[in-house]
Amino acid sequence: MRKMMMAVIAGASALAAYGPATAAPWSATQGQGWQMEEIAPRSKASRKYAKRMVSAERASYGRSSGAGPRPRKWCGWWMRTQKGGGPEYNVAWNWRNYGSPAGGPMVGAVVVWRHHVGMIVGRSDNGMWIVKSGNDGGAVRTRARSVKGAVFRI
């Protein structure tokens, strides 16, 4: 009985040595500080733009865009917001299975490279195709690109 009493006292004193448990409430923005650091450019105007884009992205969390949360490599995800499709199309190369073969580059076609996907929106004076795509330099951009070696779907 004495051993039992000593064990209880030892346990109680061990618990008393630790303070009460305190926890801060969880915030929806907790753990997202990396986003600003990862995309923060050097110029003041660019930092302001990046801050606005991160704020807009955070504001869109929880909204139903139909495409789900944006992955780290997001060109395929962006194309899903334009053309539809399931989460398998988040991977750029999977767009080679979209629709039907286009037979070559043309305005409106989805252009698929091994690690990137975009949409042809025109043709430049020098003969290159103008492609609009997501995650092109970390943004949605429209620019002339070579489509050599690409797959075209419509």
Side-chain angles (χ1 to χ4, degrees), residues 83-123:
K83 298 281 190 180
E88 67 276 7
Y89 286 114
N90 282 349
V91 177
W93 188 237
N94 287 347
W95 281 90
R96 74 191 186 285
N97 301 317
Y98 175 81
S100 57
M106 64 179 71
V107 173
V110 173
V111 57
V112 185
W113 294 274
R114 191 90 173 128
H115 299 288
H116 196 65
V117 61
M119 181 181 351
I120 297 177
V121 295
R123 190 146 194 192

Side-chain angles (χ1 to χ4, degrees), residues 49-105:
Y49 174 75
K51 193 174 200 176
R52 205 170 61 236
M53 295 307 293
V54 168
S55 295
E57 182 180 333
R58 285 182 180 161
S60 71
Y61 287 156
R63 292 186 188 166
S64 177
S65 68
R70 191 182 89 179
R72 190 174 66 85
K73 296 179 181 179
W74 55 274
C75 60
W77 174 88
W78 181 82
M79 187 61 70
R80 285 181 57 211
T81 68
Q82 305 302 299
K83 298 281 190 180
E88 67 276 7
Y89 286 114
N90 282 349
V91 177
W93 188 237
N94 287 347
W95 281 90
R96 74 191 186 285
N97 301 317
Y98 175 81
S100 57

